[in-house]
Amino acid sequence: MVFVSDVAEPRQDGELPAKVTANTSVSANEQASAHPAAESTADMVVNTLREWYVLASDSIASLLDGRFLQQPARDLWLLGKHYDLTEHTDSATAYPQHVIDDFTRLIWCTYRSQYAPIAQSQFTTDAGWGCMLRAGQTLMAQALQLHALGRDWTFSWTSSDSEQVKRRQLYTKVVGEFFDDYDPRSSFSIQRMAALGQQFEGKDIGEWFGPYGTARILRGLARQANHDVTVYTTTDGVVYLADVCAQEFRPTLILVASMLGIDRVNPVYYAFIQASLMLPQSAGIAGGRPSSALYFAGVQGDELLYLDPHTTRPAVTRTEKEYSQSDLATYSCPTPRRIAMSRLDPCMVFGYYCATLESLVDLRSRIELLADDGVTAIVSFDNGHAPESAIAGSSESNESSGSSGSVRASESTGSEPIDSKARADDCRVSTPVLLTKLPNDSDNDDASCNSNTGRPKSESGEIILEGECSDEEWVTDL
């Protein structure tokens, strides 16, 4: 199935309102769920969002007549951008050069080595235990790149043109936020993530992290750094808009932790996974195959395009000089890989970057239109605040707002067949939905992260620390 429209504008026939008055009332249920201290702000937010939502829905509905078509074999979507590959007939390459260029612009966070020991540990590499942290970094990096440069940026590494230099500096600044050190500019370094993991999750350095634990860490680090981009996390699939806009709206990365099956993704969710990567707000998905974390950036038919963090590179040393393309070459990969959705682990985190309130309203409109078309959506929206009862019973109740906070979520992608309740506890999502055990897929031709030893192993059991992203061969997981 394909979500045909990639038009981001919420309406065509005029400007969105800058603000609305209190003429539109809030329902009794929403008033009951709102925090008294923020009531006036919440009223304004709800009224504004409601009016924008109606306008956006009307406009998008007219653009999406016949919204779903059978997925052509030659359609590809990469973080909301559509590529028609019907004209690509070169059998020597899987994709045309402009698609490869777009994929290469994704920031690729992988295992690193040869950096200073993390905290009081002796770990100078995260190979074997940090793959989900790296997948989370990759998702966060795409959101920051969208924030700083937009979706269709390009620049020259050698040009002296002022605009080219500015874009180059913005790109290197974003990449530098993921350098492996304690520099204040490394807001999302592996050192900071591991340290916050000890505080939030009780994880020792070297222990494997799950998808939601990683999302929660990213939110905490963004808050610590007072970052331009706010990170909002939810574990029950509900985005509470009054929490997103508690004071005033800031560019926001919404992270939705979900469990979409027991040991494999239930096929009923395939259409939503596909559509999610077609949305213009998509920042990708952090998930993986059982016991092996991946970052998903695109979709082609029933396969997802991904970046694999299981490649160990030397850490890049921070310097005050301007970085060259070769300095940061290991943060990009020119070789898209694909994996069938039937092989995915059900625990994953969906990322959506909303730069403006209009973009947030547009995201809500698109997702609710998906539901209208019969797609089983795992994301919904509520105009109020997260219920106090959910926050009070949450392990996150000691943190400030910015999460629905129902319970902690997604803490393992183990592949052992277990019952639905045990799997739900393992993933730590609020409510497991449509959990149907699927046939166990024992074929895993790539290195996996053994959750007991914390080391990636091949089929023969040999520990793997190094990997390469080959630009000579296109690899497809069948």
Side-chain angles (χ1 to χ4, degrees):
M1 307 294 285
V2 54
F3 189 66
V4 176
S5 175
D6 62 347
V7 180
E9 291 79 4
R11 67 177 297 185
Q12 302 286 321
D13 56 348
E15 296 292 326
L16 290 174
K19 64 178 182 178
V20 296
T21 62
N23 294 333
T24 305
S25 62
V26 183
S27 69
N29 289 339
E30 291 167 347
Q31 288 177 350
S33 66
H35 296 302
E39 191 166 284
S40 59
T41 302
D43 286 346
M44 178 64 72
V45 168
V46 168
N47 292 337
T48 302
L49 292 176
R50 178 171 290 149
E51 182 166 337
W52 281 354
Y53 170 62
V54 171
L55 296 173
S57 296
D58 291 343
S59 179
I60 294 173
S62 67
L63 293 170
L64 301 182
D65 184 30
R67 289 175 282 269
F68 283 89
L69 303 173
Q70 191 65 31
Q71 172 78 20
R74 305 300 290 173
D75 271 356
L76 180 148
W77 294 77
L78 189 63
L79 294 187
K81 187 170 184 178
H82 175 239
Y83 291 99
D84 184 352
L85 305 182
T86 54
E87 300 298 323
H88 181 64
T89 58
D90 184 359
S91 60
T93 60
Y95 300 108
Q97 189 59 47
H98 64 282
V99 174
I100 298 174
D101 290 343
D102 194 14
F103 187 85
T104 303
R105 284 193 289 269
L106 299 174
I107 296 175
W108 181 35
C109 297
T110 70
Y111 289 150
R112 295 282 167 171
S113 62
Q114 302 174 32
Y115 48 68
I118 300 176
Q120 284 76 41
S121 76
Q122 298 301 310
F123 283 94
T124 59
T125 179
D126 56 295
W129 59 271
C131 60
M132 181 50 71
L133 296 181
R134 295 301 187 178
Q137 282 183 331
T138 303
L139 193 161
M140 187 75 203
Q142 309 324 320
L144 298 187
Q145 190 167 245
L146 288 169
H147 176 70
L149 294 163
R151 177 61 183 86
D152 297 312
W153 61 270
T154 59
F155 65 78
S156 167
W157 283 97
T158 58
S159 174
S160 58
D161 176 76
S162 59
E163 184 61 29
Q164 296 291 310
V165 171
K166 179 182 178 181
R167 292 182 186 178
R168 193 162 63 235
Q169 290 173 342
L170 287 172
Y171 174 78
T172 56
K173 180 180 182 292
V174 171
V175 173
E177 296 204 54
F178 301 90
F179 281 0
D180 304 289
D181 56 42
Y182 288 100
D183 189 281
R185 293 166 289 184
S186 302
S187 304
F188 304 97
S189 69
I190 194 71
Q191 287 86 351
R192 297 183 190 280
M193 294 187 78
L196 212 58
Q198 286 184 308
Q199 177 183 336
F200 282 0
E201 302 294 313
K203 297 278 191 179
D204 291 332
I205 308 299
E207 285 193 69
W208 196 84
F209 287 79
Y212 184 67
T214 300
R216 193 172 171 225
I217 289 168
L218 291 172
R219 188 190 67 197
L221 291 178
R223 185 176 296 138
Q224 284 183 3
N226 193 26
H227 207 282
D228 293 341
V229 175
T230 298
V231 178
Y232 175 94
T233 61
T234 175
T235 67
D236 57 7
V238 181
V239 177
Y240 292 94
L241 298 175
D243 289 335
V244 175
C245 311
Q247 301 300 324
E248 60 180 359
F249 183 83
R250 298 175 61 189
T252 300
L253 172 63
I254 297 172
L255 298 177
V256 181
S258 303
M259 189 181 82
L260 307 182
I262 301 177
D263 57 346
R264 287 293 185 276
V265 174
N266 190 311
V268 73
Y269 297 111
Y270 286 178
F272 182 80
I273 293 172
Q274 292 170 310
S276 182
L277 292 168
M278 300 173 189
L279 296 171
Q281 295 86 358
S282 176
I285 302 170
R289 63 171 70 87
S291 301
S292 186
L294 303 169
Y295 165 78
F296 304 114
V299 58
Q300 185 177 13
D302 291 329
E303 296 179 314
L304 303 186
L305 278 70
Y306 68 89
L307 286 169
D308 189 343
H310 300 88
T311 297
T312 306
R313 308 280 192 177
V316 175
T317 302
R318 182 176 292 279
T319 177
E320 298 306 316
K321 72 177 182 66
E322 185 174 358
Y323 295 98
S324 66
Q325 183 175 11
S326 61
D327 292 332
L328 303 181
T330 57
Y331 281 94
S332 62
C333 177
T335 309
R337 290 185 167 194
R338 300 195 302 271
I339 183 172
M341 285 190 290
S342 61
R343 297 187 60 198
L344 301 183
D345 188 273
C347 294
M348 57 185 71
V349 174
F350 293 79
Y352 307 100
Y353 171 71
C354 297
T356 63
L357 266 174
E358 294 92 330
S359 179
L360 176 62
V361 173
D362 182 65
L363 173 65
R364 177 180 183 173
S365 299
R366 291 175 185 272
I367 289 179
E368 293 187 351
L369 283 170
L370 289 174
D372 291 344
D373 277 307
V375 174
T376 304
I378 58 94
V379 182
S380 62
F381 296 83
D382 186 285
N383 287 334
H385 291 275
E388 288 283 2
S389 59
I391 296 176
S394 166
S395 62
E396 300 179 16
S397 59
N398 62 339
E399 298 182 52
S400 60
S401 64
S403 169
S404 66
S406 300
V407 290
R408 293 194 301 175
S410 286
E411 195 43 39
S412 174
T413 55
S415 58
E416 296 181 6
I418 52 180
D419 63 57
S420 60
K421 182 182 185 302
R423 185 59 171 154
D425 291 342
D426 201 27
C427 263
R428 298 188 190 177
V429 293
S430 299
T431 307
V433 286
L434 295 178
L435 298 182
T436 303
K437 185 176 180 181
L438 303 177
N440 201 18
D441 180 359
S442 59
D443 297 329
N444 190 349
D445 52 349
D446 292 309
S448 66
C449 288
N450 185 303
S451 58
N452 294 323
T453 64
R455 312 295 288 182
K457 292 187 177 182
S458 67
E459 287 183 326
S460 63
E462 296 176 343
I463 292 177
I464 297 175
L465 293 181
E466 297 294 335
E468 291 297 328
C469 174
S470 170
D471 55 5
E472 299 176 355
E473 180 181 11
W474 297 94
V475 182
T476 302
D477 289 318
L478 299 176

